[in-house]
Amino acid sequence: VRPGGSSEQGQRLVLQRVVGALAEAVRGRVAVADEGRVDGELDAVALLLRDVPAVVVHLVGDALPPLVAAAVSGALAMAIFESRGFGDLGVAWRDGTGWNFGLGCVLGLASAALVILPAVALGLAHYERLKDADISWRASLFMPVLLFCGATGEEIAFRGFVQQYLMRGYGVWAGIFGAGALFGVAHIFNPGATTLGLVNTAAFGIIFGASILRSRDIWLASGMHFGWNVLLPFLGVELSGLTIRVTEYR
């Protein structure tokens, strides 16, 4: 249903509630991470206990809820407003989807590397070794799973129904910029969030949104998002205000 009809106010109310639920999902993921933080750092050992069953518990308890919340909210909104199915959010697997995701991962990894490594090579930044760094290989294995679920959940949330709804109602670029702005605002509760950081996050959201025009699904954007997120902790860099400790250096 296009905005401007007789049920416009009701549609906007439901849309506001859907977006609110998505923001709560993002906030919830940060809150879960906060439980394991010590002086602004996310202790990787707190994410994983020392046995395999605990890994499963953390996967189900920490990684899956944001992804499920985004998928359910997006599917309901798509069914109510568009009378379409879950696959129309852009998650349907089809020819070229694997290539889109793989290309996105490469672009995300390359972008993160280009931001950090040249500065180190030119002496503009340097690494220092942490004393008594408590590193767990289990955390290193679990962390990419957590970040994949988070990245994919956010892409379903913001580049799924929300961007499509805005694009159909207000135009392609209004939808892309609008969803990007909402993406930035949703990260306002991240630890140490700043105006510049939120603007950068919104800019990334716009780039992810524009990639939908090429791929016609969320997987190129999801790969870019995941590739960026997963490399930063291994480079010793904070991610969304959290230090996910998987290396002895920072």
Side-chain angles (χ1 to χ4, degrees):
V1 179
R2 290 180 177 271
S6 59
S7 59
E8 179 180 357
Q9 291 183 341
Q11 292 174 7
R12 287 182 176 176
L13 178 60
V14 175
L15 180 60
Q16 288 171 357
R17 291 178 178 176
V18 170
V19 173
L22 300 178
E24 287 294 332
V26 175
R27 258 205 313 256
R29 181 165 61 86
V30 173
V32 168
D34 268 355
E35 294 177 1
R37 291 172 63 244
V38 179
D39 295 331
E41 293 190 356
L42 178 60
D43 184 1
V45 178
L47 286 175
L48 290 176
L49 299 180
R50 299 294 182 177
D51 54 274
V52 174
V55 174
V56 177
V57 170
H58 281 288
L59 174 61
V60 174
D62 295 351
L64 294 183
L67 178 59
V68 173
V72 172
S73 298
L76 287 174
M78 187 65 78
I80 293 171
F81 289 100
E82 305 289 341
S83 298
R84 295 192 291 158
F86 176 69
D88 292 321
L89 287 170
V91 300
W93 198 268
R94 52 186 176 78
D95 291 342
T97 297
W99 170 260
N100 287 337
F101 181 73
L103 176 61
C105 288
V106 171
L107 292 174
L109 291 168
S111 298
L114 286 173
V115 168
I116 304 301
L117 297 182
V120 175
L122 294 173
L124 301 176
H126 68 278
Y127 280 102
E128 60 181 20
R129 187 167 185 172
L130 298 171
K131 295 180 179 180
D132 302 322
D134 195 354
I135 306 301
S136 168
W137 65 267
R138 293 174 177 82
S140 299
L141 291 178
F142 174 73
M143 185 270 291
V145 178
L146 176 65
L147 294 181
F148 170 79
C149 291
T152 303
E154 289 183 358
E155 292 311 308
I156 292 174
F158 294 98
R159 256 62 67 182
F161 169 76
V162 172
Q163 179 168 308
Q164 290 189 48
Y165 181 85
L166 293 175
M167 287 173 62
R168 275 188 287 274
Y170 302 98
V172 172
W173 290 106
I176 291 173
F177 277 82
L182 289 173
F183 181 66
V185 171
H187 289 76
I188 196 171
F189 299 100
N190 286 359
T194 64
T195 300
L196 178 60
L198 295 177
V199 170
N200 287 338
T201 301
F204 269 104
I206 292 169
I207 293 172
F208 295 154
S211 74
I212 302 291
L213 299 180
R214 177 197 178 279
S215 64
R216 301 298 177 182
D217 59 33
I218 69 162
W219 293 109
L220 178 59
S222 183
M224 294 166 63
H225 195 160
F226 170 68
W228 172 272
N229 283 2
V230 78
L231 185 58
L232 291 183
F234 286 103
L235 294 177
V237 179
E238 288 186 352
L239 176 63
S240 296
L242 298 173
T243 301
I244 304 175
R245 186 62 62 208
V246 291
T247 176
E248 296 180 351
Y249 297 89
R250 67 176 178 184

